[in-house]
Amino acid sequence: MAKYSIGVDYGTQSGRAVLVEVGTGKEVATAVKEYTHGVMDEYLPDGTTKLEHDWALQHPADYLEVLQITIPEVLQKANVSNEDVIGVGIDFTACTVLPIDNNGIPLCFLPEFKQNPHSYVKLWKHHAAQDEANRLNEIAAQRGEAFLQRYGGKISSEWAIPKIWQILNEAPDIYEAADQVLEATDWVISELTGTITRNSCTAGYKAIWHKQDGYPSKEFFKALDPRLENVVEEKLSTDIYSIGSKAGEITEKAAKLTGLKAGTAVAVANVDAHVAVPAVGITEAGKLLMIMGTSTCHILLGETEEIVPGMCGVVEDGVIPGYLGYEAGQSCVGDHFEWFTENCVPESYEQEAKEKGLNIHQLLTEKASKLNVGESGLLALDWWNGNRSTLVDVDLTGVLLGATLLTKPEEIYRALIEATAYGTKMIVETFRASGVPVNEVYAAGGIAEKNELMMQIYSDVLNMDIKISASSQTPALGSAMFGAVAAGKERGGYDHINEAAKDMGRIKDHIYQPIENNVNVYGKLFDEYARLYDYFGRGENNVMKTLKQIKKESALPSKEDNYAREA
């Protein structure tokens, strides 16, 4: 009798469950639930509480709906009994955090806090804690804190400590009321098992925790703000659980919510990018995985801990036990193209796509694929949502260079694709220059699976073969694999993720290979990209930050406006 595991993948816009056959990795059924509240970046659910610039929130009720709807759906679609499901694993965007009370209830569920933005989930792309991140980096550098170099020299505003500090600064009542501030992925696991188990992946990559050294010292946190001196004991935890281990079992309450059998094994939570690594069969050093979606995360296994400028972190056992897991990333990839199609494409193109039975992305890709490398005369910087690696600066913005009155939409579209490829090449070359080998490249995600032009461009820009995940739901498959490991061999699963990866990890037969002529032209274009990268990104010209400041000041009502309203 076949045994199954379920992986639940929480993304930026939706959550999905995948029912996977243990032993083969076959994906038997999939169900998706769009988040009811979506990404809240303008208003809270009341429709009147307006959010400031750079905010991005979510509602934790949406996460429970995903469990309630998708898990019963995959069981029903596959006609599989919950008796045959041996394990569950979940993964999440990160850093995505929320404050809870001492009963594990999100503060935004409480009537007294539901109109306070700080009581909600701060999504990974919430960038409104940049002031706190800047101050943290400044103080850490002044003190010579060793941890800073493990994160490429900068802690991002996307990460846990800046977000927690922002709560303290702007909503001290929320900070005081919070019994804990934890990753949404750990909160969902607590809803399944009844116990909070903080995972080592988010603790290491997003909360400045180190397996050997622990968190930064109390003295450091006190130097940030005296009120933060005991933040670890008061709002975080020193009890960290390794990925690949068991968090607990489905409770009776969770069984009623999900339709799973009480007692089913639940894996310690993980991050969407990191959990995808074993799903493509990677279990050794030197192999880089690009998880490509609204953003791209780059995960690489190494054998030694090296200092890499601009990396998002290096964590021992952070991805696969026994290796150093390196992370880097790009904040804007799929979002990049979505912005363009929603704002910059003429009606005639929309009509042409409709007549051809294509969506606008397919039409633009078709047109862009007919262009020779360099034919458009365009070059772009991929910073529409800031730069995560290697500059770690959310205040950087996009650049498009070379446009004329003859420039066509498909030329811009291709230039944006190329910009993201150049950004990845910058990351790869930085790893290599820092002593971390990159010998093979893999890709996963909807873009990698569907966009042949984009993957060929990446192969040409990197001058490397690119292998593609065979799964269209790679993070969910990885989570299901960890669920099978949580169950253990005695229940029909595995005792180690390497064993699961060998049996269940898969890549497609087709491999993208670089085209020599394209490689040569892209080499020249990348040299120009690198010059622009340094010019705008390393302080020689701070025009992007000046423009952001002017925008911020212009958005504030002037005295004259106030007088006019009063009149």
Side-chain angles (χ1 to χ4, degrees):
M1 179 69 72
K3 296 296 180 182
Y4 303 88
S5 183
I6 292 177
V8 183
D9 170 38
Y10 286 92
T12 299
Q13 301 287 351
S14 63
R16 68 196 62 236
V18 177
L19 182 71
V20 178
E21 185 176 76
V22 175
T24 66
K26 179 183 177 182
E27 295 165 27
V28 182
T30 301
V32 179
K33 172 66 174 69
E34 298 287 332
Y35 297 143
T36 299
H37 298 88
V39 176
M40 298 180 289
D41 52 13
E42 295 184 5
Y43 291 92
L44 290 186
D46 60 15
T48 59
T49 304
K50 185 168 174 53
L51 302 174
E52 297 178 8
H53 290 298
D54 294 327
W55 278 65
L57 305 179
Q58 287 188 328
H59 201 304
D62 295 349
Y63 306 150
L64 299 181
E65 284 186 350
V66 168
L67 298 174
Q68 185 178 33
I69 292 172
T70 64
I71 292 179
E73 186 175 332
V74 294
L75 294 175
Q76 182 180 15
K77 280 182 176 179
N79 193 27
V80 166
S81 167
N82 63 6
E83 294 279 347
D84 294 321
V85 177
I86 63 171
V88 181
I90 75 164
D91 65 86
F92 236 95
T93 62
C95 174
T96 296
V97 295
L98 75 161
I100 61 173
D101 69 9
N102 57 8
N103 292 313
I105 298 172
L107 296 189
C108 63
F109 285 1
L110 305 179
E112 62 267 35
F113 295 127
K114 67 179 182 180
Q115 290 183 302
N116 190 319
H118 286 287
S119 71
Y120 288 82
V121 176
K122 285 182 170 62
L123 184 58
W124 67 268
K125 63 178 180 177
H126 174 88
H127 289 153
Q130 188 60 45
D131 288 345
E132 284 78 8
N134 291 343
R135 184 65 178 145
L136 185 155
N137 289 320
E138 179 185 342
I139 292 173
Q142 289 173 351
R143 290 173 52 89
E145 294 285 345
F147 72 79
L148 200 59
Q149 294 309 308
R150 290 197 293 266
Y151 299 94
K154 285 185 181 179
I155 299 301
S156 170
S157 64
E158 295 180 0
W159 298 355
I161 301 304
K163 287 175 174 174
I164 292 171
W165 196 5
Q166 187 196 11
I167 295 174
L168 176 60
N169 284 334
E170 299 179 11
D173 56 332
I174 296 293
Y175 185 88
E176 183 64 28
D179 181 67
Q180 297 188 54
V181 180
L182 75 163
E183 287 281 347
T185 192
D186 293 331
W187 178 73
V188 172
I189 290 293
S190 74
E191 289 293 297
L192 292 174
T193 66
T195 305
I196 292 175
T197 51
R198 291 179 182 259
N199 73 88
S200 60
C201 188
T202 52
Y205 288 103
K206 309 301 180 184
I208 325 182
W209 173 82
H210 189 266
K211 185 176 180 180
Q212 308 301 327
D213 301 340
Y215 289 99
S217 66
K218 286 188 177 185
E219 290 75 20
F220 168 71
F221 285 117
K222 185 177 180 180
L224 294 184
D225 188 317
R227 299 171 297 172
L228 287 174
E229 180 178 5
N230 298 310
V231 65
V232 173
E233 295 79 7
E234 293 176 353
K235 307 301 177 185
L236 300 172
S237 174
T238 55
D239 293 327
I240 307 298
Y241 295 80
S242 174
I243 55 169
S245 57
K246 182 177 176 181
E249 297 179 345
I250 294 290
T251 63
E252 292 290 347
K253 177 184 175 183
K256 293 177 182 177
L257 177 73
T258 63
L260 293 171
K261 182 181 177 183
T264 302
V266 179
V268 167
N270 213 321
V271 178
D272 49 4
H274 305 69
V275 78
V277 170
V280 297
I282 294 176
T283 57
E284 57 190 38
K287 298 182 178 183
L288 176 80
L289 173 63
M290 305 182 292
I291 301 89
M292 307 174 75
T294 55
S295 62
T296 289
C297 191
H298 307 79
I299 305 297
L300 175 66
L301 300 183
E303 296 179 327
T304 58
E305 184 175 284
E306 306 293 345
I307 301 304
V308 183
M311 65 180 171
C312 298
V314 53
V315 177
E316 185 178 352
D317 301 337
V319 180
I320 297 291
Y323 289 97
L324 279 299
Y326 289 88
E327 178 187 350
Q330 292 167 270
S331 297
C332 184
V333 180
D335 274 354
H336 207 198
F337 315 131
E338 196 69 24
W339 163 81
F340 180 74
T341 58
E342 289 180 354
N343 295 280
C344 305
V345 178
E347 176 62 29
S348 61
Y349 276 57
E350 298 283 0
Q351 185 61 37
E352 182 180 352
K354 184 177 180 180
E355 291 172 357
K356 290 185 173 181
L358 304 174
N359 65 43
I360 193 62
H361 290 283
Q362 291 170 327
L363 178 68
L364 288 168
T365 298
E366 178 185 283
K367 289 177 177 290
S369 65
K370 297 175 181 178
L371 299 169
N372 293 324
V373 177
E375 181 181 347
S376 70
L378 299 177
L379 185 64
L381 292 178
D382 51 316
W383 299 345
W384 263 246
N385 197 30
N387 178 285
R388 186 181 299 163
S389 299
T390 62
L391 301 171
V392 197
D393 193 338
V394 301
D395 285 328
L396 295 175
T397 52
V399 169
L400 179 67
L401 189 67
T404 73
L405 293 176
L406 298 178
T407 297
K408 294 180 173 60
E410 60 267 29
E411 293 175 326
I412 299 176
Y413 193 74
R414 179 166 182 138
L416 296 179
I417 293 174
E418 291 168 341
T420 66
Y422 300 144
T424 288
K425 183 176 176 67
M426 185 66 72
I427 289 167
V428 168
E429 293 303 325
T430 302
F431 273 124
R432 287 172 171 164
S434 303
V436 184
V438 180
N439 303 321
E440 296 183 22
V441 177
Y442 296 68
I447 291 174
E449 181 185 14
K450 299 173 184 176
N451 197 316
E452 294 182 7
L453 171 64
M454 186 163 174
M455 299 321 301
Q456 185 60 54
I457 288 173
Y458 270 63
S459 178
D460 293 338
V461 169
L462 293 172
N463 194 19
M464 296 183 70
D465 292 356
I466 297 180
K467 302 172 183 178
I468 308 298
S469 170
S471 171
S472 60
Q473 312 292 347
T474 312
L477 171 59
S479 287
M481 291 163 63
F482 275 102
V485 173
K489 191 167 290 186
E490 288 186 0
R491 293 191 183 185
Y494 299 91
D495 289 336
H496 197 282
I497 191 61
N498 286 19
E499 299 169 2
K502 182 179 178 181
D503 285 353
M504 300 171 69
R506 297 175 293 134
I507 58 172
K508 290 185 176 182
D509 292 334
H510 177 69
I511 297 173
Y512 291 92
Q513 296 180 311
I515 299 169
E516 185 176 355
N517 289 341
N518 293 352
V519 170
N520 294 333
V521 179
Y522 276 132
K524 297 175 184 178
L525 289 169
F526 177 75
D527 288 344
E528 297 302 324
Y529 172 91
R531 290 174 66 187
L532 291 175
Y533 192 97
D534 290 340
Y535 178 70
F536 287 112
R538 302 192 191 276
E540 186 171 347
N541 189 330
N542 284 322
V543 61
M544 296 172 180
K545 297 181 182 183
T546 300
L547 291 173
K548 266 201 163 185
Q549 183 60 33
I550 292 172
K551 176 182 178 180
K552 184 177 181 180
E553 293 169 355
S554 298
L556 298 173
S558 66
K559 291 182 179 179
E560 289 77 8
D561 290 337
N562 288 334
Y563 292 150
R565 291 191 187 98
E566 290 172 4

